[in-house]
Amino acid sequence: MSQHAPLTPENRLIRMPEVEHLVGLRRSAIYMLIAKNEFPAPLKIGTASRWPLDAVAAWVDQKIKNAEAA
């Protein structure tokens, strides 16, 4: 039997509308960043794309830190 981390609000999977809301970018800009390996790639579940909330939050946090350091 495998051990899995318990589901928490931080590790749930989110859909594109929530990703857009969290990062303040439109779908096309997000996919351009993914193509350049500058944004977390989605997980594919069947034909659906979902992002781990913690990965998106970490990306936002890093952008804030970079802006503060500049």
Side-chain angles (χ1 to χ4, degrees), residues 3-33:
Q3 296 281 337
H4 296 284
L7 185 60
T8 66
E10 295 81 27
N11 71 2
R12 68 188 178 88
L13 298 175
I14 59 175
R15 298 175 63 199
M16 177 57 84
E18 190 170 355
V19 174
E20 289 177 306
H21 176 76
L22 290 171
V23 303
L25 298 171
R26 303 291 284 173
R27 172 186 303 265
S28 59
I30 292 167
Y31 278 112
M32 280 180 24
L33 290 172

Side-chain angles (χ1 to χ4, degrees), residues 5-69:
L7 185 60
T8 66
E10 295 81 27
N11 71 2
R12 68 188 178 88
L13 298 175
I14 59 175
R15 298 175 63 199
M16 177 57 84
E18 190 170 355
V19 174
E20 289 177 306
H21 176 76
L22 290 171
V23 303
L25 298 171
R26 303 291 284 173
R27 172 186 303 265
S28 59
I30 292 167
Y31 278 112
M32 280 180 24
L33 290 172
I34 292 168
K36 296 190 303 186
N37 292 316
E38 295 177 8
F39 191 84
L43 302 173
K44 289 296 199 173
I45 302 171
T47 59
S49 295
R50 299 292 186 266
W51 284 260
L53 176 57
D54 57 352
V56 174
W59 183 87
V60 171
D61 289 343
Q62 187 60 51
K63 291 298 176 187
I64 292 170
K65 287 177 187 173
N66 290 348
E68 291 172 345

